[in-house]
Amino acid sequence: MADTDEILFGRKGGLAILTINRPQALNALTLDNYRRIDPALRDWAADPSVNAVVVRGAGDRAFCAGGDVRAVYEAGRGISGDPDLPAVFFREEYDLIRRIHHFPKPYIAVIDGITMGGGAGISVNGAYRVATERTLLAMPETGIGLFPDVGATRFLNRCPGHVGRYLGLTGARVNAADALYCGFVTHAMKRDSIEALLDELSLKHGSVEDCLRRFLVDPGSAPLAVLQPAIDRCFARDSIEAILDALAAESAGGGADAEWAEATRAGLLTKSPTSLKITLRQLTLGRDYDLDAALALEYRLTQHVMAGHDFYEGVRAMLIDRDRNPKWRPRTLAEVTDSMLDAYFAPVGDRELRFT
């Protein structure tokens, strides 16, 4: 294994360490990366000499900025790659996330730096998630014509109040304190303590919980806790239009949260109208879903979205041409009818994601 490999596997005593080694791409994961991680997890699960697994990102900027949506875009558009990638990528990504969620040994994700989309998928769904002072976590999918997936139907719904709706619809970024408040992470520690933590875990001095406890720090107060009353007032509504109206009223009221409400409303109006409506229905429908049900719903939605317009236009505008001026279709919320929305939630026949 060379340092140029995109997925690095290491050992420290009984600790297996997986490092995503694509720092130039903010450690975004390709299908090939998933196909290297999955068998390693299978082997470690069966290996009695492995007591725990740590996953981390290389470099100074990111844990993992998500999945390689650019490759999915190029395949779906017929530019390059396997035309079946839009189906295969999400299926194998979700299979891996399920393996992580049910991993039989302690699985510890060190979420140091940018963590988005697929990065949340391989961390938030695991047993232990450790934030640092550099953690920046978000689910920004509505800005590229997608929806918060990778199990977000479940983990966003586990946030306090309607905070999950807010984060899923807006793509707002959270720090370590907010991530702890939302339940996205289980522990917070200093970045410069990571190597010492790995040493402790490798020696198995006590339980994983004991090791993590020795490095705990207080990340401070969570800004979302202060905002939650306003979030709940605005995002409890049953339609995107009603949420926008509530934000407008909050802004016009001139209270302490008026500026937040105005900025949030303006931000929502830049997102894909279709993605916003999909996301609200997804989170409403999946309020009590377990991970298997969440992933099955999300896979169905991806296959319909991949057959549409907004995902490709969003990726083009944000990642390819970078003009940040997507031309959504339909252009307005009013044009996204209930029947159009129903079609995104319709079964996809033998392409349904089923777990055995």
Side-chain angles (χ1 to χ4, degrees):
M1 181 175 63
D3 289 343
T4 54
D5 288 348
E6 294 190 343
I7 303 294
L8 305 177
F9 304 107
R11 286 287 297 270
K12 276 190 175 186
L15 181 67
I17 304 171
L18 186 154
T19 303
I20 307 165
N21 189 36
R22 303 187 74 223
Q24 74 288 351
L26 298 179
N27 296 322
L29 289 162
T30 67
L31 180 59
D32 181 65
N33 297 156
Y34 288 131
R35 287 175 172 174
R36 293 201 64 204
I37 295 170
D38 188 75
L41 289 182
R42 290 174 185 264
D43 290 345
W44 288 334
D47 186 344
S49 72
V50 173
N51 302 315
V53 172
V54 162
V55 59
R56 63 190 304 191
D60 296 325
R61 298 181 62 195
F63 166 69
C64 173
D68 187 6
V69 293
R70 184 170 187 147
V72 176
Y73 166 91
E74 291 176 351
R77 276 285 183 255
I79 298 169
S80 66
D82 182 352
D84 291 331
L85 185 65
V88 175
F89 180 90
F90 290 103
R91 181 177 296 276
E92 296 196 25
E93 179 185 33
Y94 292 4
D95 280 342
L96 176 62
I97 289 168
R98 185 172 183 267
R99 186 174 310 288
I100 288 167
H101 185 66
H102 295 288
F103 196 69
K105 298 175 182 180
Y107 176 97
I108 305 129
V110 180
I111 309 176
D112 179 44
I114 296 167
T115 303
M116 297 184 181
I122 64 166
S123 57
V124 177
N125 294 299
Y128 300 98
R129 296 88 67 188
V130 182
T132 75
E133 67 273 19
R134 289 159 29 94
T135 296
L136 188 158
L137 193 150
M139 297 297 292
E141 287 79 7
T142 58
I144 58 165
L146 196 56
F147 59 90
D149 66 325
V150 298
T153 303
R154 171 182 172 272
F155 65 71
L156 288 178
N157 269 315
R158 293 160 70 91
C159 293
H162 291 287
V163 168
R165 275 191 182 185
Y166 162 66
L167 296 176
L169 290 168
T170 65
R173 299 177 176 191
V174 302
N175 62 13
D178 280 335
L180 196 62
Y181 178 71
C182 290
F184 300 150
V185 302
T186 56
H187 300 79
M189 63 181 289
K190 291 290 187 182
R191 183 175 192 261
D192 60 12
S193 298
I194 292 173
E195 295 304 324
L197 171 66
L198 300 189
D199 289 340
E200 287 276 334
L201 290 169
S202 71
L203 296 172
K204 202 181 178 184
H205 285 165
S207 66
V208 168
E209 290 87 350
D210 289 340
C211 288
L212 289 168
R213 194 176 298 117
R214 285 195 281 275
F215 294 93
L216 278 180
V217 297
D218 180 358
S221 60
L224 281 177
V226 177
L227 270 177
Q228 191 188 334
I231 289 171
D232 288 350
R233 285 193 297 272
C234 297
F235 283 83
R237 311 309 171 97
D238 60 3
S239 71
I240 300 298
E241 292 88 345
I243 289 171
L244 290 169
D245 287 345
L247 287 165
E250 189 83 21
S251 175
D257 300 311
E259 186 176 341
W260 164 83
E262 183 178 359
T264 299
R265 186 176 187 276
L268 283 172
L269 291 172
T270 70
K271 311 299 183 186
S272 159
T274 303
S275 291
L276 290 176
K277 289 202 170 185
I278 288 173
T279 298
L280 183 59
R281 182 183 289 194
Q282 164 203 356
L283 294 178
T284 302
L285 180 65
R287 186 177 291 114
D288 299 314
Y289 279 12
D290 63 11
L291 184 67
D292 283 12
L295 292 173
L297 171 64
E298 291 163 9
Y299 186 78
R300 177 185 295 179
L301 290 171
T302 64
Q303 297 314 288
H304 289 300
V305 168
M306 293 301 109
H309 168 272
D310 276 10
F311 169 75
Y312 300 101
E313 174 60 9
V315 173
R316 179 207 64 75
M318 298 303 190
L319 301 177
I320 307 298
D321 297 337
R322 297 179 182 269
D323 59 30
R324 298 190 175 275
N325 186 30
K327 301 294 190 293
W328 304 124
R329 197 167 68 211
R331 186 175 57 85
T332 66
L333 289 164
E335 294 174 275
V336 184
T337 65
D338 286 344
S339 61
M340 291 169 61
L341 198 58
D342 291 343
Y344 283 95
F345 288 80
V348 289
D350 60 6
R351 291 183 294 146
E352 291 283 305
L353 187 63
R354 297 180 177 89
F355 300 111
T356 56

